[in-house]
Amino acid sequence: AMDFNLSLDDISKQFKDVTKLFTSSGPGLPVADLDMVIEADRMYAEVASSPASSAEEHASHDAARFRLAWALAHSRREGDAKRAVALLQEGAYDWADAVAARDRRYIAAVAHYNDGDFLAARAAAEEALKFDAGCRQAETLRAAAEDAIARDGIIGIGAVGVGAAVLGGLVTALATTRRR
């Protein structure tokens, strides 16, 4: 008799081992802890509570909004990355010149990357590179996003292959048992 459970366990273990080969820690991005996010959120709420009546106040709003977006983008908490993207979304806020468009797009790329949306991360990093083709951080993040996209594709292909092998094993096991 075939020990089918042992075979599934072996296949599962081998699949997990293959997955580890293709999992990277990312492009060495810093991580914002909860205290950083809370402080940035407090500072932004403070400046956002009053309208910006001068260019200097508008720049202060921009800086606080960007600091909050940075902290959220680098946070590992669920939902923070999506909030960062919303803060940085083009057209959602009238940015002055205090924060460069390249920096806003790069931080949006970081948020997408940390959220696991590697296609959006690559697109945002490419937008940052349109503003500054020599931005090494954006280039590194774009390359990391492309690696993650390729890795996910390979793992997906592997999962389909493992699924087909398991299905084939089931069909063979059922056919063998019915012949007896």
Side-chain angles (χ1 to χ4, degrees):
M2 183 176 153
D3 187 2
F4 189 68
N5 288 331
L6 181 61
S7 297
L8 279 178
D9 289 342
D10 289 343
I11 291 171
S12 176
K13 183 184 179 310
Q14 289 173 353
F15 181 70
K16 286 177 185 172
D17 290 344
V18 169
T19 302
K20 285 180 189 175
L21 287 174
F22 294 102
T23 304
S24 72
S25 60
L29 296 170
V31 177
D33 63 19
L34 182 58
D35 291 338
M36 291 173 75
V37 173
I38 290 170
E39 180 62 15
D41 207 357
R42 184 193 64 74
M43 290 174 67
Y44 179 62
E46 192 176 290
V47 297
S49 65
S50 60
S53 56
S54 68
E56 186 176 301
E57 287 177 353
H58 194 69
S60 178
H61 280 217
D62 286 1
R65 185 180 183 98
F66 186 74
R67 271 193 302 277
L68 176 57
W70 187 98
L72 291 167
H74 289 87
S75 168
R76 297 288 187 231
R77 281 188 332 157
E78 186 73 28
D80 281 356
K82 285 181 182 15
R83 191 169 163 219
V85 169
L87 283 168
L88 297 165
Q89 187 174 3
E90 292 300 319
Y93 178 77
D94 181 24
W95 291 91
D97 295 333
V99 179
R102 175 203 68 192
D103 296 338
R104 295 192 309 265
R105 298 315 308 143
Y106 171 72
I107 295 302
V110 169
H112 286 301
Y113 187 90
N114 283 335
D115 201 32
D117 187 349
F118 303 121
L119 290 172
R122 179 181 62 187
E126 286 173 349
E127 287 176 29
L129 289 166
K130 287 179 186 172
F131 290 103
D132 179 2
C135 181
R136 287 185 292 189
Q137 288 178 304
E139 181 54 42
T140 300
L141 190 57
R142 185 197 57 76
E146 286 182 353
D147 290 348
I149 292 165
R151 177 188 73 229
D152 287 353
I154 290 171
I155 290 172
I157 290 168
V160 169
V162 167
V166 168
L167 186 59
L170 282 172
V171 169
T172 303
L174 289 174
T176 306
T177 6
R178 288 193 176 170
R179 287 185 192 157
R180 294 181 185 171

